[in-house]
Amino acid sequence: MDWVERAAKLRQWTGNGIRAPHKPLLLLYALGRFQEDADGELRYSAVEEDLKQLLTEYGPANRTTPAYPFHHLVSDGVWEVRTDRGPGSPGSGVLELRATGATGRLAPELRTALRREPSLLGRIAGVLLDQHFPPSLHGELREAVGLEQVPVESEPLPAGRRQRDRRMREMVLTAYEYQCAFCGYDGRIGAVPVGLEAAHVRWWAFDGPDDIDNGLCLCALHHKLFDKGALGVGEGHRILVSQRFVGRSPAAREHVTALAGRPLIGPQPGTNPVAERHRSWHTEQVFHGTPRPASGT
C-alpha cells in the first residue's frame, strides 16, 4: 500500500479551484495525535472545537462543520469511526456524532505502517501540506496540529507534474523594485534584501502559475497575513483588510488596519499587475470576512 499516494489523492470537491482542505486538516490533526498516543481514539465531542479552529484559521471563508470530514474521510481508507454501538460512522450529522459517542482514528493498516516505518508520518504530512497550503503557512500549521517536531519530507515530483520556476522570486521582487507592495518596506543587509518574499496570489497548490501577474513582493508580515486571508487585493488593485482582523496596538493599526483602501505599491511601469482572475480567486477562496472601509472613512 502506498500511503503517501493515498493521502495525495483524498477525495475532495475542488472543481474550478475551490478549496476544500477539510479532510487534509483532519488527517494532519490525526497524525499529530498519533504521534502523542499511537493507540488513542479521538472522540468527536472532545476534538470538535480543535477541528473547528483549524477550519476557521486554515479553511476557506465558507465554513463547514468538522462533522463532514470526520464522517467522509472513512471512504478514503485512511480513517475509521466507531460509536457506542460498534464499528461504522452514524453519518455526518453533528448531533448524531455527539450522541453516539463517535470516535475516530487512523485506519489499522495505516497505524501498522506508521509503526513499522516512522519516516512515513513525515512524508504523508509533507504531501498534505504541499498540496493544500502555501509554504508560508506550513510551519505554524504543523505546530497547530502537533507535528512541529516531526521531520517533514517532500516527495519527488512524479512524471508530468508541474515544476516550480526558481526565477519566480527574483522576477517578482524586481517587478516591485524590492519593496513590499502593501507597506513599502525595503530592508537590506548590505546589498541583500531581507524580509522580502514573493507571494503567490493564486496558490501554487491550486494551479497558480509562477508568473509576475500572479505574484506580489511582500514583507514577511504581510505575506503571512495575505496567505491567512486577513489581507487581500480588491478592485482597482486596492488593499483589502478583513474586519475579522483585530489589533488594538498602534503597531497593528499602522501596519495593518490603516492599509484598508490604499493602492498597491508597484509594480514598476511596463510590468503586468496582478491579473483579475488571480485576484478574484484569492478574494473568494482565501480572504476572510468583509473588507474594512477605506482608512479614514
Side-chain angles (χ1 to χ4, degrees):
M1 176 68 67
D2 189 335
W3 292 104
V4 175
E5 183 178 0
R6 179 162 288 195
K9 295 182 177 179
L10 297 180
R11 297 169 188 165
Q12 298 170 274
W13 193 79
T14 55
N16 298 320
I18 294 175
R19 295 181 61 217
H22 312 82
K23 286 182 178 180
L25 285 170
L26 173 57
L27 185 50
L28 284 167
Y29 183 83
L31 290 170
R33 296 295 290 269
F34 176 86
Q35 184 192 10
E36 296 176 6
D37 180 4
D39 296 313
E41 295 182 328
L42 306 180
R43 183 172 289 269
Y44 178 79
S45 58
V47 302
E48 183 177 8
E49 288 305 314
D50 282 354
L51 296 175
K52 279 184 180 178
Q53 186 64 30
L54 285 172
L55 285 169
T56 297
E57 289 197 35
Y58 301 102
N62 54 321
R63 298 183 183 180
T64 303
T65 169
Y68 177 88
F70 201 93
H71 166 74
H72 286 287
L73 188 60
V74 173
S75 66
D76 292 282
V78 297
W79 178 251
E80 65 174 5
V81 175
R82 297 178 60 89
T83 69
D84 296 337
R85 300 191 291 262
S89 173
S92 59
V94 173
L95 296 181
E96 289 177 296
L97 289 168
R98 293 174 182 166
T100 58
T103 60
R105 62 176 176 174
L106 299 176
E109 298 88 349
L110 177 53
R111 299 199 307 271
T112 298
L114 289 169
R115 291 188 181 98
R116 183 174 61 245
E117 186 183 353
S119 67
L120 178 61
L121 193 151
R123 292 165 57 210
I124 294 175
V127 76
L128 292 170
L129 291 168
D130 286 342
Q131 289 199 347
H132 302 283
F133 305 96
S136 68
L137 300 183
H138 289 186
E140 67 173 68
L141 185 47
R142 289 174 57 198
E143 183 176 354
V145 298
L147 290 172
E148 69 269 28
Q149 302 302 323
V150 177
V152 171
E153 303 178 25
S154 295
E155 290 292 299
L157 285 174
R161 282 283 300 277
R162 291 192 306 152
Q163 298 282 342
R164 288 181 180 269
D165 189 338
R166 297 180 180 178
R167 300 170 299 167
M168 168 75 169
R169 180 179 183 275
E170 186 62 28
M171 290 190 301
V172 170
L173 267 60
T174 299
Y176 285 84
E177 301 182 285
Y178 293 87
Q179 58 181 338
C180 175
F182 286 174
C183 68
Y185 169 82
D186 61 354
R188 295 173 180 265
I189 295 178
V192 180
V194 61
L196 288 172
E197 301 167 354
H200 281 79
V201 179
R202 182 181 179 121
W203 294 354
W204 169 265
F206 290 84
D207 298 321
D210 283 333
D211 296 335
I212 291 175
D213 69 359
N214 187 42
L216 285 171
C217 175
L218 297 176
C219 66
L221 170 65
H222 290 135
H223 189 179
K224 178 64 69 67
L225 292 174
F226 185 67
D227 282 348
K228 293 202 75 169
L231 297 174
V233 179
E235 297 289 344
H237 293 90
R238 292 185 175 273
I239 300 169
L240 303 178
V241 179
S242 173
Q243 289 186 343
R244 293 185 186 175
F245 175 85
V246 176
R248 298 182 178 87
S249 67
R253 291 196 298 269
E254 176 185 354
H255 296 299
V256 184
T257 54
L259 298 176
R262 290 185 186 176
L264 292 180
I265 300 170
Q268 60 178 286
T271 304
N272 291 330
V274 176
E276 191 278 335
R277 65 187 185 280
H278 301 319
R279 178 186 62 75
S280 295
W281 180 89
H282 185 276
T283 301
E284 294 168 3
Q285 298 299 321
V286 180
F287 186 75
H288 279 271
T290 304
R292 288 174 175 264
S295 182
T297 62

